[in-house]
Amino acid sequence: MDSRKDPVEIIARVGGVAQYPDDERALGVWMHLAAKAGWQVAEAADFAPDGRRGECGAVDIEGLRYVIRLGPRVRRLLHEVVDGRMVQRDVLAVAAWAEPIVTGESAPGWGS
């Protein structure tokens, strides 16, 4: 059995609570974490990301393709002043993560 963390479990915490402006850097950070986890990962040059859908790129990992998404995904504790006192609350912060691109070849019986 493979002891590596599955690519869909790799979460790159790349930003705060505001929209993250650098898709290329987010993709690079995610790819670095995947390589560090032991995966052979290469950017899919023939993929055109759709930023409106939260895509920042795609990668090929040992025969399977994943789209890398960017958006609010991880919990972060926000400290802010409200009515003159410091309060804390949980908010979503920006992260990059992978989702498999399902095809008939990658998932027999499931793909389009």
Side-chain angles (χ1 to χ4, degrees):
M1 186 157 148
D2 199 338
S3 63
R4 297 176 290 185
K5 182 183 279 193
D6 192 90
V8 299
E9 297 178 272
I10 298 169
I11 307 291
R13 298 166 192 270
V14 294
V17 296
Q19 190 167 356
Y20 192 71
D22 193 349
D23 291 1
E24 191 173 313
R25 172 135 171 80
L27 176 63
V29 171
W30 190 91
M31 289 176 64
H32 169 76
L33 293 176
K36 191 173 173 182
W39 294 101
Q40 297 290 325
V41 57
E43 185 173 356
D46 61 341
F47 182 84
D50 183 348
R52 294 170 295 154
R53 294 178 53 193
E55 300 169 350
C56 65
V59 295
D60 292 317
I61 301 177
E62 299 177 13
L64 296 176
R65 181 161 286 187
Y66 295 80
V67 64
I68 307 303
R69 299 201 182 274
L70 180 66
R73 182 154 180 107
V74 293
R75 295 177 70 96
R76 187 158 290 163
L77 189 59
L78 177 68
H79 299 271
E80 61 185 345
V81 177
V82 176
D83 296 330
R85 23 179 287 260
M86 182 68 73
V87 296
Q88 308 174 49
R89 65 184 172 100
D90 288 315
V91 295
L92 291 173
V94 179
W97 70 95
E99 293 178 4
I101 296 176
V102 179
T103 65
E105 188 176 309
S106 67
W110 287 87
S112 53

